[in-house]
Amino acid sequence: MRLPTPTPGDIEWFVHDRFGMFIHWGLYSLAARHEWVKYNETIPDDVYQKYFEQFNPDLYDPQAWARACRKAGMKYVVLTTKHHEGFCLWDSKLTDYKITNTPYGKDALRPYVDAFRAEGLKIGFYHSLIDWHHPDFPIDGQHPLRDHPDALKMNETRNMARYADYLHGQVRELLTEFGKIDVLWFDFSYPDFVHRGLPGKGRNEWQSEKLLKMARELQPGIIVNNRLNLPMGNADFYTPEQYQPRAWVQVDGQPVFWEACQTFSGSWGYYRDEDTWKSPEQLVQMLINTVSCGGNLIMNVGPTARGTVDARAEQALSVYGEWLRLHGRSIYGCAPSEFQPPQDCRYTQSGNRLYLHLFNWPFKFVYLDGLANKIAYAQLLHDGSQVFVKSALRDYNYEAVAQFIPSDTAVLELPVRKPDVVVPVVEIILK
Ligand code: GLC
């Protein structure tokens, strides 16, 4: 198996831990209809201002968030310090558009860092490169004012270099005032996206090279995602979003470290009326599938305007928590296997332990190609109960069965009823 080449940051803990929590929280949580609401509904600043004036998450309890994260089996967290709307969750010296100037009146970031750190979790910051509020950010196709008749003219007074200074200055604050930060998650670049004569933005506009250099200087070991629009070799990990890769993610023909970022329902910010919540099977299968393809999974929670995790998200977190309590061994520290899994199954592997994840429960037998005489022992992972291993031709010496089973195939004998877990796993100890 070809493995990714090492990256500048400390990627080992990340690859080992496999599963994290994304948190999207900002003024859009009040609108409760997508974090892109300002863009989707082309809401001007003065109208959007009402969310700023109302922002008062009286039930914000970062310890409760951190506990929920740990109990879900997630090992790291990434919170939106600022999303595209431009609102800052910390007391930045570089803007007034920040949480301390809302009715809430307090910084939310330091308590977040402290609470998650105290639960033993690694800490990440998501930071939006895009800014729909900053007066120097040139209007482009990703901006709420993209179709304003005077957009081009308005850009005459907007100064990209000044905005880049602001961006760099804020990242400096984030990486110097909150102790050790493990993950930096920038979002996003679109250099070739031109809309009505408004150019897109990428590495030149963000001054990405300088920004990344500063980040690595301020926080040695920090791992940074791939959305700065820099060439291969700069990012520590890649970020497929809203689809599930079917194989190890490659860039320029090279395997890379990667993290799929996904939502419990369709939106990142809290969306009251959205109804595409994933089933327990989908949630667990996405995690397994990701690890079986060499990736990490970060699942998003969009807390409400009052600072709570809504019941549907809590439910989804508990699905992961319950499954991982019994099956964590098949995820943490695991990687893809060289063996080809049977139909409707996935393999993960750690050393001589091979994990067979059964997405569909077959009747009585499951056939493992290439594993005849290679299995020392097998058990269901959730209860440690023995699973009999048959070496096909020896144990089934009646023709009708034998003719379907190649000689290098091992056969596991399963109970007829599917165990009462979302996805059952057989732990196979290889000789
Ligand atoms: C997207 C969206 C965004 C979300 C992010 C997470 O690029 O702009 O709203 O924060 O993906 O991956």
Side-chain angles (χ1 to χ4, degrees):
M1 197 177 304
R2 281 195 310 146
L3 297 173
T5 42
T7 70
D10 290 341
I11 198 79
E12 287 81 20
W13 70 263
F14 183 74
V15 170
H16 176 274
D17 286 356
R18 289 298 186 205
F19 190 36
M21 175 184 273
F22 224 146
I23 305 178
H24 277 64
W25 197 44
L27 299 181
Y28 45 80
S29 309
L30 281 75
R33 52 184 194 276
H34 209 282
E35 76 284 357
W36 278 67
V37 60
K38 190 176 183 190
Y39 173 95
N40 292 340
E41 300 176 16
T42 59
I43 304 176
D45 281 340
D46 56 330
V47 178
Y48 202 76
Q49 184 62 14
K50 60 179 168 287
Y51 303 125
F52 184 88
E53 282 159 15
Q54 295 300 327
F55 189 82
N56 193 4
D58 58 327
L59 300 178
Y60 175 48
D61 178 358
Q63 279 93 357
W65 289 11
R67 257 192 321 273
C69 180
R70 181 179 48 73
K71 282 168 99 180
M74 294 157 158
K75 305 290 188 188
Y76 61 97
V77 61
V78 178
L79 169 68
T80 51
T81 51
K82 177 194 88 165
H83 202 262
H84 308 333
E85 64 180 2
F87 175 67
C88 298
L89 287 183
W90 81 104
D91 190 14
S92 172
K93 287 170 204 65
L94 303 175
T95 183
D96 294 332
Y97 202 52
K98 56 183 174 182
I99 192 163
T100 43
N101 290 336
T102 66
Y104 183 66
K106 287 174 282 185
D107 162 41
L109 202 56
R110 163 63 60 190
Y112 151 84
V113 170
D114 291 347
F116 280 79
R117 192 59 84 198
E119 290 289 340
L121 301 158
K122 295 271 197 309
I123 308 296
F125 288 162
Y126 164 110
H127 196 70
S128 175
L129 301 165
I130 300 171
D131 197 308
W132 297 334
H133 181 267
H134 198 282
D136 274 318
F137 187 92
I139 298 165
D140 58 29
Q142 304 286 5
H143 195 279
L145 297 175
R146 64 199 171 281
D147 291 325
H148 194 288
D150 299 329
L152 273 170
K153 193 161 183 323
M154 291 159 90
N155 274 350
E156 286 169 12
T157 57
R158 293 173 177 244
N159 183 322
M160 187 63 215
R162 263 200 318 254
Y163 173 72
D165 275 354
Y166 173 73
L167 171 66
H168 290 224
Q170 287 209 317
V171 171
R172 178 176 288 280
E173 286 185 350
L174 291 169
L175 298 184
T176 51
E177 292 172 18
F178 298 90
K180 181 162 167 54
I181 303 304
D182 305 289
V183 183
L184 187 55
W185 219 104
F186 286 118
D187 197 29
F188 60 82
S189 301
Y190 41 98
D192 303 324
F193 178 53
V194 182
H195 177 79
R196 299 177 61 240
L198 302 163
K201 294 183 179 63
R203 70 183 81 157
N204 295 332
E205 287 71 23
W206 316 129
Q207 302 179 23
S208 296
E209 225 167 305
K210 196 172 138 208
L211 185 58
L212 184 60
K213 189 161 172 278
M214 176 183 74
R216 295 201 190 281
E217 270 167 23
L218 295 176
Q219 291 278 344
I222 197 166
I223 55 171
V224 186
N225 73 339
N226 67 318
R227 296 193 180 180
L228 281 171
N229 179 227
L230 286 169
M232 169 90 172
N234 282 285
D236 293 286
F237 64 99
Y238 284 72
T239 54
E241 170 178 345
Q242 298 289 10
Y243 73 93
Q244 278 296 116
R246 296 171 56 215
W248 201 308
V249 173
Q250 302 206 347
V251 177
D252 302 337
Q254 298 294 319
V256 292
F257 297 107
W258 60 278
E259 176 197 64
C261 49
Q262 310 292 5
T263 50
F264 290 147
S265 72
S267 159
W268 300 86
Y270 177 63
Y271 198 138
R272 184 189 59 207
D273 301 334
E274 214 268 344
D275 205 23
T276 58
W277 291 76
K278 295 179 179 72
S279 71
E281 286 75 17
Q282 280 175 311
L283 294 174
V284 172
Q285 289 182 10
M286 282 165 70
L287 175 59
I288 296 164
N289 194 64
T290 299
V291 178
S292 79
C293 297
N296 280 33
L297 178 67
I298 186 163
M299 289 300 299
N300 178 71
V301 173
T304 67
R306 297 194 64 190
T308 55
V309 175
D310 106 304
R312 296 165 296 183
E314 259 178 9
Q315 176 58 31
L317 290 172
S318 73
V319 165
Y320 280 119
E322 277 164 39
W323 189 82
L324 279 164
R325 186 171 69 83
L326 299 172
H327 301 95
R329 225 147 78 195
S330 69
I331 296 294
Y332 309 122
C334 287
S337 173
E338 300 277 4
F339 293 107
Q340 275 303 314
Q343 204 172 25
D344 300 329
C345 295
R346 300 291 185 278
Y347 279 141
T348 60
Q349 192 169 345
S350 172
N352 72 336
R353 289 185 185 237
L354 177 66
Y355 296 97
L356 171 69
H357 304 256
L358 295 126
F359 286 5
N360 246 321
W361 191 250
F363 168 54
K364 211 162 169 184
F365 301 112
V366 62
Y367 303 92
L368 311 181
D369 291 339
L371 282 170
N373 304 315
K374 292 201 174 125
I375 300 178
Y377 189 74
Q379 57 189 353
L380 281 165
L381 184 53
H382 71 282
D383 65 355
S385 62
Q386 183 177 8
V387 169
F388 286 123
V389 185
K390 314 274 183 183
S391 186
L393 294 176
R394 198 174 59 240
D395 296 330
Y396 294 95
N397 54 0
Y398 53 99
E399 270 170 52
V401 175
Q403 66 177 327
F404 295 113
I405 307 171
S407 60
D408 70 341
T409 297
V411 181
L412 300 184
E413 190 171 343
L414 300 171
V416 172
R417 288 185 65 129
K418 180 192 167 203
D420 191 17
V421 292
V422 180
V423 176
V425 177
V426 181
E427 182 173 45
I428 297 166
I429 293 135
L430 299 172
K431 284 180 186 162

